[in-house]
Amino acid sequence: MATTLTALAVATSTMLALPGAAMAADAKSAIVRHANTPPGLILQGVTVPAGAKMLYLSGQLAAPIDPASKTPPAQLTIADFGDTRTQTISVFTKIKTILAAQGYAMSDIIKLTVFVAGDPKLGGKMDFAGMNDAFKMFFGTAENPNTVARSTVQVAALAGPAFLVEIEATAAK
């Protein structure tokens, strides 16, 4: 009888401890987004727990504004892809499609590296404001309240002279 009561007490205490243990395990397995102080457009960093499923996207470039254009790719100009803001929207739209095909969402992105070429119309300076305007359409929104850790750098040029923006993305869940 004592053995049965001891076994019952152990089983009961184990069952009562399981919800707390499960919550602790969930907290340890959660992706933690560390906000800047004061909170801003991008994060200070992100902690990704062991075992999280990761997806690393290669740098993505904008698609032509007119996908039916008959202009050979080598002859396309910045006008065919749009300004920095337009190209950034195109790139994020492409990233959103790629993520969805892999079972991810924009809210799963944790890190971006954004390469911005100087715009000839701006005297060779990057259009940081235009890139940020497009960024705000995809992050910190009602559809995706998350933001990301991000680096943005101006580069001398990208893969082709018509490209102003290239974005690498890392997603985790």
Side-chain angles (χ1 to χ4, degrees), residues 59-149:
Q60 301 298 314
L61 298 165
I65 294 170
D66 178 7
S69 172
K70 302 292 184 204
T71 305
Q75 295 176 9
L76 293 173
T77 66
I78 290 174
D80 294 306
F81 292 93
D83 62 9
T84 299
R85 182 179 183 280
T86 302
Q87 288 195 29
T88 303
I89 293 168
S90 175
V91 173
F92 279 134
T93 301
K94 186 185 286 187
I95 287 172
K96 186 175 183 177
T97 300
I98 294 168
L99 290 172
Q102 298 297 322
Y104 288 80
M106 292 296 281
S107 59
D108 295 319
I109 294 177
I110 58 167
K111 172 72 170 89
L112 294 171
T113 305
V114 182
F115 304 96
V116 185
D119 187 334
K121 290 182 180 176
L122 299 176
K125 293 183 180 185
M126 73 171 170
D127 181 4
F128 189 67
M131 185 279 300
N132 266 337
D133 284 347
F135 175 88
K136 292 177 201 175
M137 295 173 64
F138 292 86
F139 299 94
T141 65
E143 181 182 345
N144 175 19
N146 290 338
T147 192
V148 299

Side-chain angles (χ1 to χ4, degrees), residues 31 33 48 52-55 104 107-110 170-173:
I31 292 169
R33 295 168 185 270
V48 179
K53 187 176 170 188
M54 305 287 296
L55 178 64
Y104 288 80
S107 59
D108 295 319
I109 294 177
I110 58 167
T170 302
K173 60 181 185 170

Side-chain angles (χ1 to χ4, degrees), residues 113-117 126 128 131 151-156 158 164 166:
T113 305
V114 182
F115 304 96
V116 185
M126 73 171 170
F128 189 67
M131 185 279 300
S151 299
T152 304
V153 295
Q154 179 171 344
V155 296
L158 291 168
L164 295 174
E166 182 171 349

